[in-house]
Amino acid sequence: MTKLLTIPFFDWKQLYLERRKEYLEIFDRTASRGGFILQQDVDDFETELERFLGVKHAIAVSDATNAMLLGWRAMGLRQGDEVIVPSHSFLAAAQSIHFAGGVPVPCELAPDGMADAADMEQRVTRKTRALMPVHVNGRMADIDAIGEVARRHNLLVVEDSAQALGAKLRGQAAGTAGVWGCFSFYPSKVLGTFGDAGALVTNDDALAEKVVRMRNHGANADKSIEKDNTVWGTNCRLDNIHAAILAYKMTWYGEAVARRRAIAARYHEGFRDLAGLALPPAPAAEADRFDVFQNYELEADRRDELRAFLAERGIGTIIQWGGLALHQMTGLGFTQRLPKTDLFFQRCLLLPMNHMLADDEVDYIIENVRAFDRLEAQTKTEAVRTVA
Ligand SMILES: *Cc1c(COP(=O)(O)O)cnc(C)c1O
């Protein structure tokens, strides 16, 4: 047995310490000029996001959940409008629909864990207004198939792309395929700051103008307020200091994503022969895709035992969304039966995945997953011998 390492699922302190000097300098520079609320750094960060995604408008807000809420309000979601959303997704998407007056309708997942377009279509009713794929783990759902369903039934498409900044499918960037998309810059996201932060992106000028106003009490982009041209708004501005940090992190975002993809490739090589696991597609598996690996989510036959085994060896893992699919939160009124998603939630597990992991840490995780697999095989052989 090799030496014991401690690898937390996510090392929060390291997020800051890895470039502490640069962050202190950014804080000093922005604070020294009194740049706290909606200053140049917010504009600059928005411009950088627009350039990066090739989208007309990026509007920085307090977090992705509020980005979605403003998106629904600005597009005029009506009371009782149904929105079909994958059950394998964060509660936030469904909450934003509910808070805007709509009804979230959970659907099944496809074999790759993303929203299943065919199942979405089965759930369309006269009340359905929109389809909302969630690009979980930094991988895009099949946006073309979902778009086809939307066209057939005259529905809108909106994306929860909170985990997928920079992910692409057939040249289309996550967040830019529908009416609007959102991003989260929560600390542990691929692009994360030291608090809450988010953005809404859209190619729709009128929608963008509304969201710009709604995030700042209904004021115009230049902060003026007109007597006869106002909208109801709220406060969900992005703090200027976070915008400055995020703009800096965008200068090496490509590197951070490349590191995640390298780790995913290393995991894939390390696990591909293990029969007890189902792996996410390797980074180079499909030429027309680019996944950013917000997470490395696999399925394991004996998930809970594997998790305990890794924990004993100092390796932190988590089950996404606190272990509950959306439709399983029956307290919120969901009545759907989704057997594929139920099964997935008995098997799914997130291994550590972020740009700060070193190769020897990744190898230590691989070694231990393999050690668990050997132990399982041995137990099975012994059981067979006992029977014989
Ligand atoms: C993180 C996340 C959100 C919420 O983002 P916040 O910025 O914390 O509001 C929404 N959807 C998905 C898929 C997420 O992963």
Side-chain angles (χ1 to χ4, degrees):
M1 170 102 184
T2 47
K3 89 175 160 37
L4 205 68
L5 296 184
T6 302
I7 308 172
F9 179 73
F10 191 80
D11 189 345
W12 302 90
K13 286 193 306 291
Q14 192 56 26
L15 194 69
Y16 171 65
L17 295 175
E18 64 167 343
R19 301 196 186 209
R20 180 166 182 258
K21 197 166 112 326
E22 287 82 351
Y23 297 130
L24 285 172
E25 197 275 318
I26 290 167
F27 181 75
D28 193 52
R29 177 161 44 79
T30 49
S32 299
R33 61 173 148 77
F36 301 122
I37 303 287
L38 291 185
Q39 296 298 304
Q40 189 63 41
D41 301 285
V42 174
D43 290 347
D44 291 349
F45 174 54
E46 290 175 337
T47 305
E48 178 51 22
L49 271 183
E50 287 160 2
R51 189 201 61 76
F52 179 73
L53 294 167
V55 71
K56 270 177 98 175
H57 306 280
I59 301 149
V61 294
S62 56
D63 55 82
T65 309
N66 273 299
M68 292 190 274
L69 181 56
L70 293 195
W72 294 121
R73 297 242 169 181
M75 73 186 259
L77 193 74
R78 293 165 308 221
Q79 200 67 36
D81 278 352
E82 293 177 359
V83 178
I84 302 173
V85 57
S87 191
H88 178 16
S89 69
F90 185 35
L91 187 54
Q95 281 172 325
S96 72
I97 296 162
H98 175 86
F99 260 45
V103 179
V105 177
C107 74
E108 285 279 29
L109 38 70
D112 70 349
M114 301 299 115
D116 181 12
D119 188 76
M120 278 184 155
E121 185 157 29
Q122 302 252 306
R123 295 173 200 279
V124 173
T125 71
R126 278 173 36 231
K127 290 188 186 159
T128 308
R129 179 88 182 282
L131 306 178
M132 188 181 209
V134 180
H135 306 312
V136 185
N137 301 335
R139 175 181 174 85
M140 275 179 85
D142 191 345
I143 200 77
D144 296 333
I146 292 167
E148 274 304 310
V149 174
R151 263 187 297 283
R152 271 200 291 279
H153 299 274
N154 197 24
L155 304 171
L156 299 170
V157 175
V158 161
E159 299 167 82
D160 178 351
S161 41
Q163 294 195 352
L165 181 69
K168 283 192 173 173
L169 176 57
R170 296 184 272 273
Q172 181 93 50
T176 69
V179 183
W180 53 262
C182 70
F183 294 102
S184 172
F185 312 117
Y186 185 84
S188 57
K189 295 288 158 80
V190 186
L191 182 73
T193 185
F194 308 125
D196 278 310
L200 177 141
V201 297
T202 183
N203 285 308
D204 181 328
D205 299 338
L207 186 116
E209 195 192 326
K210 270 194 205 161
V211 172
V212 164
R213 293 162 126 205
M214 285 176 160
R215 80 164 167 194
N216 188 28
H217 303 292
N220 293 322
D222 65 2
K223 295 166 200 155
S224 65
I225 299 176
E226 297 162 66
K227 172 159 84 64
D228 54 359
N229 181 26
T230 42
V231 292
W232 286 107
T234 180
N235 173 11
C236 47
R237 298 176 297 239
L238 173 67
D239 296 326
N240 196 68
I241 189 86
H242 287 309
I245 291 162
L246 289 164
Y248 164 66
K249 290 189 113 173
M250 279 305 281
T251 64
W252 51 279
Y253 188 66
E255 241 174 84
V257 170
R259 178 65 191 144
R260 284 175 183 262
R261 288 170 57 84
I263 293 168
R266 207 173 181 99
Y267 275 148
H268 196 88
E269 276 310 301
F271 300 145
R272 53 190 295 180
D273 60 322
L274 301 186
L277 301 182
L279 305 179
E286 297 151 85
D288 58 358
R289 270 191 183 276
F290 187 82
D291 297 349
V292 297
F293 287 92
Q294 164 67 57
N295 300 308
Y296 193 83
E297 184 167 55
L298 49 71
E299 292 175 66
D301 287 347
R302 289 169 50 79
R303 190 263 318 266
D304 295 338
E305 291 82 354
L306 171 61
R307 205 175 172 214
F309 183 90
L310 295 177
E312 273 172 31
R313 285 150 185 82
I315 300 167
T317 59
I318 62 174
I319 303 171
Q320 201 158 201
W321 324 125
L324 282 181
L326 190 57
H327 76 284
Q328 294 173 344
M329 299 183 206
T330 49
L332 297 176
F334 295 118
T335 55
Q336 289 80 5
R337 290 186 53 250
L338 304 175
K340 283 185 199 159
T341 305
D342 287 336
L343 180 62
F344 183 87
F345 272 77
Q346 289 167 22
R347 297 170 47 81
C348 61
L349 187 67
L350 298 184
L351 297 184
M353 168 55 85
N354 61 75
H355 70 275
M356 300 174 291
L357 289 170
D359 281 349
D360 67 325
E361 294 178 305
V362 178
D363 290 343
Y364 176 77
I365 295 166
I366 292 171
E367 242 169 69
N368 280 292
V369 171
R370 296 191 68 87
F372 176 79
D373 185 74
R374 273 194 305 276
L375 210 67
E376 288 290 290
Q378 211 176 324
T379 317
K380 270 183 207 151
T381 320
E382 273 158 20
V384 171
R385 253 187 241 128
T386 319
V387 173

